[in-house]
Amino acid sequence: MMITSNPFKMEYKSKLYSRLDDNDTFIFYNFKGEFYLTTLIAYEDKTLKIGMLEKEYFSLEEIKDMFDKNILTTEVKDKFFIKDFAEIKIESIGYFVKKSQKFKEIEDMMKKVCGEKTTLELCKEAYHQYLSYQCDYTKEKLRKAYEAVPEHERIYLEDMDSKDWDYQRILYSNEKREV
């Protein structure tokens, strides 16, 4: 676990300030060829902030462009830095979240702080609909909802023991569920 501060953003509304809701995740930021582990914070006014950059806010489209240009990434090769704290050398980890999947996670963060349903919530709803009425239509709806969930977050669809096994059984096998 990494200790971080709780950044916040204030919004001015008719002579009063109010604090905007936020949610964050970790990301690698490419600064002059060196990769820094930092936070990416989503705010309910649909802006995002990269922890290392003091006063800049970005749109979701700008963040996507930064992923495309490898300014933001999920993978490092041999070392990364934690600003003003450490240089961390790593050996081959073998597993990194794909950038496309991390971007899906960021989109979900934005939905969550804006009060919209996330892909996890929509998938759970589709699962319960399928269990209530098992047919090709609800199964296809469940498949689309399941595949929309970031791959690294699918394990959170159920509990720590069962993860997303029942979803996989329904969608990708012919095995019947015993009740």
Side-chain angles (χ1 to χ4, degrees):
M1 180 196 290
M2 193 167 148
I3 297 173
T4 62
S5 60
N6 291 328
F8 61 93
K9 187 175 182 184
M10 302 297 286
E11 180 179 49
Y12 183 73
K13 287 184 181 178
S14 63
K15 299 183 183 180
L16 296 174
Y17 284 95
S18 63
R19 185 173 191 258
L20 295 174
D21 287 337
D22 61 55
N23 198 348
D24 66 351
T25 187
F26 288 104
I27 195 79
F28 290 108
Y29 176 70
N30 184 348
F31 180 70
K32 298 181 181 178
E34 302 286 348
F35 291 94
Y36 287 82
L37 181 64
T38 189
T39 54
L40 182 69
I41 307 143
Y43 294 100
E44 70 178 303
D45 66 351
K46 298 194 181 226
T47 60
L48 295 120
K49 183 178 186 319
I50 298 169
M52 279 188 55
L53 305 178
E54 295 293 319
K55 297 180 182 173
E56 294 184 59
Y57 293 93
F58 302 92
S59 68
L60 201 53
E61 295 78 26
E62 289 171 315
I63 294 297
K64 173 117 177 67
D65 189 49
M66 292 171 98
F67 270 108
D68 293 342
K69 292 178 179 175
N70 208 37
I71 296 168
L72 294 177
T73 190
T74 57
E75 186 174 347
V76 295
K77 295 194 183 332
D78 57 354
K79 68 179 175 179
F80 65 91
F81 298 88
I82 298 174
K83 186 180 177 194
D84 300 329
F85 181 68
E87 175 182 335
I88 299 164
K89 293 184 181 189
I90 57 173
E91 292 184 22
S92 177
I93 292 177
Y95 175 78
F96 287 98
V97 173
K98 296 175 191 167
K99 286 196 276 186
S100 62
Q101 299 301 308
K102 188 67 171 184
F103 188 73
K104 281 182 173 183
E105 177 189 340
I106 294 164
E107 289 177 311
D108 267 352
M109 281 178 19
M110 186 65 73
K111 288 177 186 175
K112 186 174 184 174
V113 298
C114 291
E116 300 170 20
K117 290 185 179 180
T118 65
T119 56
L120 276 170
E121 293 166 326
L122 293 171
C123 187
K124 287 177 183 181
E125 285 179 8
Y127 174 72
H128 293 291
Q129 287 174 350
Y130 174 79
L131 293 178
S132 297
Y133 187 70
Q134 297 181 17
C135 67
D136 290 340
Y137 174 76
T138 56
K139 186 175 182 176
E140 180 60 17
K141 190 174 175 183
L142 174 59
R143 184 190 64 73
K144 286 179 181 177
Y146 178 78
E147 291 175 357
V149 175
E151 292 172 4
H152 62 285
E153 293 198 336
R154 292 177 184 167
I155 61 171
Y156 302 116
L157 287 166
E158 291 202 38
D159 60 37
M160 286 178 64
D161 295 326
S162 58
K163 301 175 180 148
D164 63 337
W165 295 338
D166 201 38
Y167 292 78
Q168 291 181 32
R169 179 198 57 79
I170 292 166
L171 297 171
Y172 306 119
S173 77
N174 294 324
E175 183 182 325
K176 296 291 180 193
R177 182 179 185 191
E178 299 275 336
V179 181

